[in-house]
Amino acid sequence: MTALLSVSGLRVGFGRDPQNHEIVHGVSFDLAAGETLAVVGESGSGKSVTALSINRLIDFGGGRITGGSIVLQRTDGSSTDLAQADEAQLTRIRGAEISMIFQEPMTSLNPVLTIGTQIEESFRLHRGLTGRQAKAAARDALDRVRIPDAARRLKYNPNQLSGGMLQRVMIAIALACSPRILIADEPTTALDVTVQAQILALLAELKRETGMSMIFITHDIGLVAGIADKVMVMQAGEAVEQGELNQVLDDPQHAYTRHLLHAVPHFSSGRATRIDGQRGTSASTEPALKVDGLVVRFPVKGGLFGRATGAVHAVDGVDFDLLPGETLAIVGESGSGKSTTARAVLGLEQSTRGAFTIGKAAAAAEGVRPMQMVFQNPYASLNPRLTVQSILAEPVIASGGRTDARTLSRMTKLLARVGLTEDCLQRYPHEFSGGQRQRLCIARALMLNPSVVVLDEAVSALDVSVQADVLELLVDLQQEFKLAYLFISHDMAVVERIAHRIAVIYAGQIVEIGEAASVLAEPRHSYTRKLIAAVPAIDRRHETFEIDMRQVPSLVRPLGFEPQPADWQSFGPDHLARTEAPDGAKPLVTDDA
Amino acid sequence: MNYLTGRLVTFPLVLLGVSLIVFIAIRLVPGDSITAMLGTEAGLLTPKQREALAAYFGIDQPWFIQYWRWLYDLFHGDLGVSVTYGRPVLDVILERFPLTLELALLSMIVALLVGVPAGVYAATHNEQPSDLGVRIIAMVGQSTPNFVLGLVIIYILSAGFGILPVMGTFTSIWQDPLTNLSQMILPAVTLGFAFAASVTRISRSAMLDILKDDYVRTARSKGASSRAVIWRHALPNALIPVVTLSGIEFSYLLGGAVIVEQIFALPGLGRLVLDAILQRDYALVQGTVLFIAFNVMVVNLLVDLAYATLDPRIRLGER
């Protein structure tokens, strides 16, 4: 049987001189009908360029195919080399025989057109449908991607839908004309983990229904296990390994594949949690930070004179304590209130109510700022115009100190401690890599000898191998300085490796809190279970995930609304979960977006 | 309509502020209506005659009393009487305004009809010789003062083709549309040229940005042709900065285009204000400036409403 798509010796270059600026150096693979090929690689490996070359969208991104062929078996039985095809031929193939979905659903739909118009366009272009027929076809397409209330949603503009919904709309557009090949370029990278699971489940189901083939581009080798039949690993523009899924994952031949499989923290349901510094093993029991009933609300204004008509309950009654030398991870999805909690604890966000108690020892000491923060994006959180020395001096100066010999000696000591040399002091942030910059941010946070460090998605923006090193550094520093970490993250695999305790936050409230191993191994709250079930892992092969149509509850409440006091149930020495209403988590207010 | 009422409430407040500033500013200019009218002969007036004239012009009182009186009349729909024309200020303005409005509209039409396609063309032929050509013309258009272009047009037509621009008494579009258009087309092109150059540049750069956007790639992945991608997907998004620019330029033109009016001998608002200032015709200056300020505010409101229609993400009244 001939392959549906056969790529051989594909070479792609960029710019005016594509031969000498080659990004993809001779990639070959075959895709059979109904098969899913996963292309895995780190940023810059050429995986997206390869994908965009197949339907020749690369032409519009400044790329040129400089060699090789891309032979597609057409619906009518003939075959076409897409590398040689002209634009008129390509517009007939794109969307009809080869479709594509992209990484950022939020920006991939035209903001000024309704989603109905954008879906109809596919039918108009390839099926010649117009008017009522096109509208009916668009409604069916939305139904197919399980968007409830499709007829009404057709009139929505993209800004009225959430990222997960928009990715479904993108899938509806891509599959409108039943293409035989779907190219999915990191389709879930920008989405929350539970939404990611939903999209993957939907793609798997649609693939079964239609029998289409899929090329799935991803940087996350864990994701591959659930969806692929075959895997191709790319590094620096070359395919270093390809083969059947089980073969590549269980018996990787190439060193880079093994590296990818080992560098990535794999989620293992609480079997890889930390064994050092557990609660109760250290002598000190006085918390470094204690938070009582933290509430953060943002007024919603409306009407002619901008009166408050309601409030966004971003954080709604959060309590926890944090001992010295302990990591509390706060996990939750975007919009759950985890970052707002961190910002409120630091005073970056005005809290509406609630009390913080900082450990007495820390509060009394001279020249100490008890809490510091490390942010997500190391590229944006260092001032590009300042030298490393000025950056490290900043917290000292801000707290009334000066750059004297003592400060300088602390700088060099900390730089050495985070793995940078002394000569870095006169250099500027752009001279450092992402991982090194995050080390600088950590050194800056430690300048004032804090007792609590808030790490807001501190390793999320780093490449996987760098991520592992930075996590290791954080653990070492914690042991050395008895630091308490408040670790905000959406990544369960990372959390598993650094947290002693975990607090799961949902819609502004903690729903489950306790010892990491216990929470991850035996989640008690339905939301925690859902969150953990959605985490991709290499040992979860072809596991089906239930498609759940429930909407995230809106956090907007009427003025004066107070939530019910929490009712906690205990599941062991250090494991509490909120008691749920008997009929599961019933959303208080449903919202479209 | 909350947004609209909110905006309309601010209208009178802004007008009040504008009128106060104009009222004081025009009185800070040395000289007064009497000297402006009589010239050197003003020196021959006896103090009694001068007093009588001042009382006649209403400038015998302190400025705040004058202002109060003017405001009081304004609330009764009376903008005062122009001393130079001896007629109510509002009548004089309304006589001139249709021409200014028509000129501004025509220039904008010329600018959009030329500028938008030129900008789109340049953006889709980025870094090619044709793009460079469009960019050079646009640069020249923006940096040439419009009177130069006006004079060049008149010279070429009269010296080269023996055609003289139709001058003489201005004919309104209601009396004779053809004569009117033949009188207006040259000034409109003159004003529209620089306007078109700005529109070209801004639509080119907006298009260039938008053609790199993700949704344009999505449209291409659906199999839309390049033409559909440009006109259906990219252009509506690129029009927002064009609307902003057109609003600013248009409200500027509504204040009158003094030089072009002068060259083509058109009785528009620009020349009216200039003459009024030179003649110290206080009532006329105040009235005209107030009228122009009102128009600018209406244009700004229309621009905001246009944004909301073009881009559903913009919801008026939300911050």
Side-chain angles (χ1 to χ4, degrees):
Chain A
M1 191 190 110
T2 51
L4 179 59
L5 182 77
S6 178
V7 174
S8 65
L10 177 69
R11 292 175 175 276
V12 187
F14 277 81
R16 287 178 198 280
D17 186 13
Q19 252 88 13
N20 290 323
H21 295 98
E22 211 175 73
I23 300 292
V24 174
H25 318 285
V27 166
S28 306
F29 63 87
D30 284 338
L31 182 71
E35 194 176 59
T36 300
L37 170 74
V39 181
V40 191
E42 282 183 294
S43 46
S45 63
K47 56 188 194 302
S48 288
V49 173
T50 306
L52 289 166
S53 302
I54 294 168
N55 58 5
R56 290 275 298 278
L57 284 182
I58 199 71
D59 296 15
F60 301 100
R64 282 285 166 276
I65 293 178
T66 51
S69 66
I70 306 167
V71 179
L72 171 75
Q73 297 299 320
R74 304 287 298 272
T75 330
D76 57 15
S78 65
S79 66
T80 306
D81 182 1
L82 299 177
Q84 310 293 336
D86 60 24
E87 188 57 26
Q89 238 176 334
L90 288 167
T91 52
R92 281 196 300 276
I93 290 171
R94 289 186 198 126
E97 296 185 49
I98 302 177
S99 280
M100 190 156 184
I101 56 174
F102 303 93
Q103 180 170 353
E104 290 283 348
M106 300 289 205
T107 55
S108 292
L109 287 161
N110 194 330
V112 307
L113 300 177
T114 64
I115 60 169
T117 316
Q118 298 187 59
I119 302 172
E120 282 170 36
E121 189 177 16
S122 296
F123 292 108
R124 287 195 294 100
L125 286 169
H126 299 293
R127 293 280 155 86
L129 300 186
T130 49
R132 198 166 296 162
Q133 278 179 311
K135 204 154 274 163
R139 200 188 53 233
D140 291 345
L142 269 194
D143 274 336
R144 204 159 141 212
V145 294
R146 281 73 167 169
I147 289 187
D149 203 3
R152 193 165 56 93
R153 293 261 162 74
L154 286 176
K155 296 192 202 80
Y156 279 29
N157 283 101
N159 61 316
Q160 292 168 285
L161 293 170
S162 66
M165 281 291 174
L166 290 177
Q167 196 60 296
R168 286 184 201 196
V169 173
M170 283 295 293
I171 296 173
I173 292 172
L175 301 188
C177 297
S178 313
R180 299 209 289 167
I181 298 174
L182 176 68
I183 303 169
D185 188 4
E186 304 248 11
T188 59
T189 307
L191 304 174
D192 272 325
V193 62
T194 54
V195 182
Q196 162 170 294
Q198 301 280 320
I199 296 292
L200 291 179
L202 178 67
L203 284 174
E205 214 169 299
L206 292 171
K207 208 190 105 181
R208 268 196 304 279
E209 283 173 20
T210 60
M212 65 179 177
S213 306
M214 189 151 65
I215 298 175
F216 193 93
I217 317 290
T218 181
H219 69 280
D220 183 356
I221 203 160
L223 210 56
V224 165
I227 194 150
D229 301 309
K230 287 203 300 187
V231 180
M232 174 165 90
V233 180
M234 284 191 71
Q235 181 192 22
E238 284 175 62
V240 294
E241 179 160 4
Q242 46 182 311
E244 297 294 322
L245 173 76
N246 291 342
Q247 187 203 319
V248 174
L249 292 188
D250 297 334
D251 185 20
Q253 297 302 309
H254 194 275
Y256 182 69
T257 316
R258 282 198 291 272
H259 167 74
L260 269 187
L261 281 165
H262 290 129
V264 182
H266 297 296
F267 182 69
S268 60
S269 308
R271 273 176 278 128
T273 47
R274 286 172 67 176
I275 44 166
D276 64 295
Q278 290 298 333
R279 203 164 246 222
T281 56
S282 86
S284 160
T285 49
E286 196 208 343
L289 172 70
K290 192 165 160 47
V291 174
D292 274 315
L294 176 67
V295 173
V296 182
R297 287 176 191 167
F298 303 107
V300 177
K301 286 181 176 159
L304 182 56
F305 300 104
R307 270 176 326 213
T309 54
V312 177
H313 287 215
V315 178
D316 218 355
V318 160
D319 318 278
F320 59 81
D321 57 358
L322 186 57
L323 298 184
E326 184 181 70
T327 306
L328 173 69
I330 298 186
V331 298
E333 304 193 344
S334 47
S336 62
K338 56 185 195 304
S339 283
T340 313
T341 305
R343 296 175 61 82
V345 166
L346 280 160
L348 294 175
E349 206 76 78
Q350 185 74 44
S351 55
T352 312
R353 263 209 312 270
F356 314 102
T357 327
I358 293 155
K360 282 197 203 80
E366 183 76 21
V368 169
R369 279 295 161 102
M371 279 195 277
Q372 289 294 318
M373 187 157 183
V374 177
F375 298 91
Q376 173 169 7
N377 190 342
Y379 293 89
S381 49
L382 294 171
N383 188 335
R385 292 169 183 279
L386 296 183
T387 59
V388 169
Q389 180 172 330
S390 317
I391 288 170
L392 293 181
E394 197 77 6
V396 177
I397 292 164
S399 60
R402 56 174 66 183
T403 326
D404 51 17
R406 227 176 76 207
T407 314
L408 281 171
S409 83
R410 184 162 177 79
M411 281 181 193
T412 46
K413 204 181 109 202
L414 279 175
L415 276 184
R417 194 60 201 79
V418 299
L420 296 168
T421 50
E422 197 180 324
D423 61 332
C424 296
L425 281 176
Q426 297 313 320
R427 286 158 67 186
Y428 288 89
H430 70 263
E431 301 173 56
F432 297 91
S433 71
Q436 287 174 322
R437 285 184 216 201
Q438 202 59 309
R439 286 163 191 270
L440 283 177
C441 291
I442 293 169
R444 174 173 63 181
L446 296 182
M447 274 307 285
L448 292 176
N449 211 354
S451 55
V452 178
V453 180
V454 177
L455 300 150
D456 189 0
E457 301 274 6
V459 298
S460 306
L462 306 176
D463 261 337
V464 279
S465 34
V466 181
Q467 202 175 51
D469 293 343
V470 173
L471 279 177
E472 204 173 300
L473 171 68
L474 285 172
V475 171
D476 287 350
L477 291 171
Q478 180 168 49
Q479 288 165 344
E480 188 177 331
F481 299 108
K482 280 276 157 229
L483 295 172
Y485 288 155
L486 193 59
F487 193 90
I488 318 290
S489 183
H490 70 281
D491 187 337
M492 297 299 263
V494 165
V495 163
E496 189 179 15
R497 261 145 198 85
I498 192 155
H500 295 107
R501 301 179 76 232
I502 293 176
V504 180
I505 194 163
Y506 177 67
Q509 297 177 324
I510 292 181
V511 295
E512 186 159 359
I513 184 167
E515 194 213 341
S518 175
V519 170
L520 294 179
E522 290 170 68
R524 299 294 181 166
H525 193 275
S526 64
Y527 178 70
T528 317
R529 284 201 210 108
K530 192 173 142 190
L531 201 60
I532 288 175
V535 178
I538 41 168
D539 44 1
R540 290 184 172 165
R541 296 205 190 148
H542 293 294
E543 218 168 81
T544 46
F545 191 82
E546 191 189 335
I547 298 183
D548 179 2
M549 299 315 303
R550 251 205 324 256
Q551 295 289 323
V552 179
S554 161
L555 299 178
V556 181
R557 306 283 154 81
L559 273 186
F561 176 89
E562 287 300 332
Q564 294 279 320
D567 182 11
W568 294 96
Q569 246 182 308
S570 177
F571 295 96
D574 181 20
H575 188 169
L576 294 171
R578 219 172 245 264
T579 315
E580 294 171 73
D583 55 336
K586 66 164 190 282
L588 285 160
V589 189
T590 44
D591 198 317
D592 287 321
Chain B
M1 278 291 113
N2 264 340
Y3 172 76
L4 202 58
T5 24
R7 281 292 291 269
L8 290 176
V9 167
T10 63
F11 266 40
L13 297 175
V14 175
L15 290 179
L16 202 68
V18 169
S19 67
L20 190 62
I21 292 169
V22 177
F23 205 91
I24 296 170
I26 183 83
R27 278 163 180 76
L28 289 177
V29 182
D32 56 34
S33 321
I34 301 167
T35 14
M37 194 183 223
L38 300 177
T40 45
E41 288 169 39
L44 303 175
L45 293 173
T46 65
K48 261 229 151 62
Q49 285 171 310
R50 189 173 256 281
E51 249 169 56
L53 265 177
Y56 170 73
F57 286 130
I59 51 171
D60 53 335
Q61 303 283 331
W63 71 266
F64 47 88
I65 296 188
Q66 292 180 37
Y67 184 62
W68 177 250
R69 277 189 187 164
W70 179 77
L71 215 55
Y72 179 86
D73 288 345
L74 182 69
F75 273 105
H76 294 81
D78 180 8
L79 277 174
V81 176
S82 157
V83 286
T84 25
Y85 293 88
R87 289 166 51 206
V89 165
L90 195 62
D91 288 2
V92 179
I93 294 173
L94 288 180
E95 190 182 277
R96 301 288 190 101
F97 180 61
L99 181 139
T100 295
L101 181 66
E102 189 190 345
L103 189 59
L105 279 174
L106 280 176
S107 321
M108 187 165 73
I109 291 169
V110 168
L112 292 177
L113 283 183
V114 175
V116 172
V120 169
Y121 179 84
T124 50
H125 295 77
N126 190 24
E127 299 303 327
Q128 291 170 19
S130 47
D131 169 41
L132 202 66
V134 172
R135 278 157 69 189
I136 289 172
I137 296 172
M139 195 85 85
V140 169
Q142 260 194 326
S143 42
T144 313
N146 54 27
F147 68 89
V148 174
L149 184 74
L151 293 175
V152 168
I153 290 179
I154 293 177
Y155 176 77
I156 291 175
L157 285 183
S158 53
F161 301 92
I163 307 168
L164 272 177
V166 192
M167 302 258 188
T169 329
F170 173 71
T171 324
S172 100
I173 194 162
W174 312 117
Q175 289 167 353
D176 183 357
L178 271 182
T179 320
N180 170 273
L181 275 181
S182 65
Q183 281 177 321
M184 295 295 274
I185 195 68
L186 291 181
V189 168
T190 308
L191 281 175
F193 190 66
F195 195 167
S198 310
V199 170
T200 304
R201 295 187 52 167
I202 208 148
S203 44
R204 174 180 175 272
S205 69
M207 274 304 266
L208 274 179
D209 280 345
I210 284 162
L211 287 174
K212 290 192 200 101
D213 277 350
D214 287 349
Y215 53 84
V216 167
R217 186 179 59 182
T218 304
R220 290 202 164 110
S221 79
K222 282 194 230 178
S225 65
S226 279
R227 197 200 296 171
V229 166
I230 290 161
W231 297 103
R232 261 178 73 79
H233 289 272
L235 187 62
N237 284 286
L239 281 182
I240 290 171
V242 174
V243 167
T244 311
L245 175 83
S246 304
I248 294 169
E249 294 261 354
F250 185 71
S251 51
Y252 175 72
L253 288 180
L254 279 186
V258 182
I259 295 170
V260 170
E261 283 170 18
Q262 193 72 43
I263 293 172
F264 291 95
L266 291 173
L269 276 187
R271 279 169 74 199
L272 184 69
V273 186
L274 186 65
D275 292 344
I277 293 171
L278 294 177
Q279 293 296 320
R280 304 291 184 280
D281 191 342
Y282 294 156
L284 189 55
V285 174
Q286 279 149 216
T288 329
V289 171
L290 201 65
F291 185 78
I292 291 169
F294 178 77
N295 287 334
V296 170
M297 282 158 65
V298 170
V299 171
N300 285 347
L301 184 63
L302 291 178
V303 166
D304 281 356
L305 295 175
Y307 284 154
T309 358
L310 276 174
D311 189 344
R313 283 170 300 182
I314 298 172
R315 289 219 238 125
L316 296 178
E318 276 179 26
R319 250 154 273 215

